[in-house]
Amino acid sequence: MDLSRNFIVYNLRYFLLSSTKKSYVQQTRYIRLAEVGKLETPKLQGKYETGQLILHRVFGYRGVILFPWLARVYDRDIPNKKEENSDRNFNSVGKEVKGRTHTFYQVLIDQRDCPYIRAQTEAVTFLGNHESSRSLYAIPGLDYVAHEDILPYTTNEKTALQHELFDKFLTYDSDRDPCFIAQETLKAWQKKNHPWLELSDVHKETTENIRITVIPFYMGCRENQTTSVYWWRYCIRLENLGDLSVQLRERHWRIFSLSGTLETVRGRGVVGQEPVLSKTLPAFQYSSHVSLQAPSGHMWGTFRMEREDGYAFDCRIPPFSLESKTEETPIPDVEP
């Protein structure tokens, strides 16, 4: 079998990509082999289109692209003279680090793979469009994927992906490439919810071979007669770039509000877990929420990590801004 053209999935729990594009390695025991489709050559330039089937390079799940977003990536691993002498506090929120435009994609995840991936699959939440509503909406099985984490593939199956929104958002057209195209419901959904879906800033920093990526999202505001409460969701990905396994033990957050308050939050693990980042399972991703009684603020902090050799260290979480926005925010240049 030509593995450079055919992708084989077998449970996704122990899937590992080698560093070469033409060789794909599966580790530990083999379970339930099934052919998914034919791999395509990843794009080094240009964007993937709506309807492109993908495999996530790190988490291994199957998905389909809904639309792209252009984001500003602030990478503290890139040398910057201004930062060398700056203190790591809320005044150093990352804007002095040069932002570089990068493409991310809104991806619908195949629900068959959700139990086996180390990323929350019901992470996109927002408060809704009506001030009278107090409901928190959760959109299941959505992710934001960087261009370099996309592995494209093709299939002849009309029901290539299992997700409750797949048939509502996309339709099969054998004459198109990719063969799934956006329905009007997808375009209307994007237009209605773009303030809560929009990805604008991405922050990255590496400590002791542990890379932390943070993406903040504005969720909306809730008002009553005396106060306004602004909500944000932040998605965090931890990735072990080294050879030794590392376990996350504690979190330490500092949250500054424009109202003048500074809050400290400490606790064991994250979202009730203390994930291990190993050579075979190097990444973990989760989302959480924060509220302020002001339209903007900053967050920064550390994760206490423990390496398999007993060495413990604090892994820096890159500072990031919390900025509110209105529903009238212009729709970015996306291609549904």
Side-chain angles (χ1 to χ4, degrees):
M1 181 181 294
D2 181 6
L3 287 183
S4 68
R5 298 188 61 202
N6 293 275
F7 169 62
I8 302 299
V9 63
Y10 65 96
N11 194 292
L12 292 170
R13 284 179 292 184
Y14 303 107
F15 176 78
L16 176 68
L17 288 171
S18 73
S19 58
T20 61
K21 293 182 180 179
K22 291 187 177 180
S23 177
Y24 297 89
V25 181
Q26 296 163 332
Q27 294 194 338
T28 68
R29 63 184 182 275
Y30 289 86
I31 308 172
R32 222 167 23 85
L33 288 171
E35 184 173 305
V36 172
K38 292 183 178 180
L39 283 172
E40 296 181 330
T41 303
K43 290 185 177 181
L44 299 179
Q45 296 179 341
K47 295 179 182 178
Y48 295 103
E49 297 181 12
T50 293
Q52 175 65 61
L53 295 171
I54 68 107
L55 178 75
H56 195 293
R57 182 185 62 85
V58 176
F59 294 114
Y61 64 71
R62 291 162 288 182
V64 63
I65 289 175
L66 297 183
F67 41 79
W69 293 103
L70 287 179
R72 295 181 300 274
V73 177
Y74 298 92
D75 192 342
R76 288 177 171 270
D77 299 334
I78 299 176
N80 186 305
K81 292 183 179 180
K82 289 185 179 180
E83 171 147 306
E84 289 177 358
N85 299 319
S86 66
D87 294 329
R88 296 184 182 278
N89 54 32
F90 67 85
N91 292 318
S92 178
V93 74
K95 295 300 182 182
E96 74 275 21
V97 180
K98 185 177 180 181
R100 304 185 180 213
T101 301
H102 195 72
T103 302
F104 284 72
Y105 299 92
Q106 189 93 62
V107 169
L108 208 59
I109 303 173
D110 194 314
Q111 66 182 23
R112 292 169 295 185
D113 300 337
C114 290
Y116 308 118
I117 60 179
R118 305 181 80 204
Q120 287 179 320
T121 56
E122 195 167 330
V124 177
T125 52
F126 57 96
L127 292 175
N129 298 322
H130 303 291
E131 293 298 332
S132 60
S133 172
R134 294 294 184 269
S135 298
L136 177 67
Y137 294 87
I139 306 171
L142 280 177
D143 198 6
Y144 293 81
V145 184
H147 184 88
E148 63 271 18
D149 286 338
I150 296 289
L151 290 173
Y153 73 91
T154 59
T155 182
N156 293 324
E157 296 182 20
K158 295 183 180 180
T159 56
L161 204 74
Q162 288 188 16
H163 190 285
E164 60 188 82
L165 297 176
F166 183 71
D167 291 332
K168 297 178 182 178
F169 283 170
L170 300 164
T171 185
Y172 182 80
D173 187 341
S174 60
D175 296 327
R176 298 285 295 272
D177 184 20
C179 58
F180 296 99
I181 59 176
Q183 297 195 57
E184 290 301 319
T185 49
L186 174 59
K187 299 175 183 179
W189 178 78
Q190 176 211 350
K191 183 178 180 179
K192 177 182 179 182
N193 297 310
H194 75 269
W196 335 114
L197 297 173
E198 181 182 5
L199 177 154
S200 55
D201 291 355
V202 178
H203 302 269
K204 295 185 176 186
E205 186 165 5
T206 303
T207 306
E208 301 278 358
N209 287 322
I210 304 299
R211 179 188 291 156
I212 306 295
T213 302
V214 183
I215 308 177
F217 299 89
Y218 179 58
M219 290 174 54
C221 177
R222 282 288 169 256
E223 298 181 355
N224 57 35
Q225 294 180 349
T226 58
T227 61
S228 296
V229 180
Y230 300 83
W231 285 86
W232 289 265
R233 176 175 61 89
Y234 53 92
C235 179
I236 294 186
R237 173 167 149 183
L238 302 94
E239 188 170 4
N240 186 357
L241 307 179
D243 295 325
L244 297 178
S245 295
V246 177
Q247 186 167 14
L248 190 159
R249 292 298 191 184
E250 299 176 356
R251 67 187 185 279
H252 178 203
W253 282 107
R254 303 277 276 174
I255 306 168
F256 174 75
S257 171
L258 191 62
S259 63
T261 62
L262 179 61
E263 182 182 1
T264 298
V265 178
R266 292 180 180 270
R268 295 288 297 180
V270 291
V271 293
Q273 301 184 52
E274 295 182 26
V276 175
L277 309 178
S278 64
K279 192 72 174 177
T280 54
L281 295 171
F284 180 82
Q285 182 173 294
Y286 77 96
S287 290
S288 191
H289 303 88
V290 63
S291 64
L292 301 176
Q293 291 186 349
S296 65
H298 303 147
M299 286 182 67
W300 69 100
T302 57
F303 291 127
R304 187 68 172 173
M305 312 296 291
E306 183 179 337
R307 218 162 54 193
E308 63 178 273
D309 59 6
Y311 173 66
F313 60 95
D314 287 328
C315 185
R316 292 184 296 273
I317 305 170
F320 57 96
S321 296
L322 302 171
E323 302 290 347
S324 60
K325 66 184 89 169
T326 64
E327 290 184 45
E328 286 71 33
T329 303
I331 300 176
D333 181 19
V334 297
E335 301 172 356

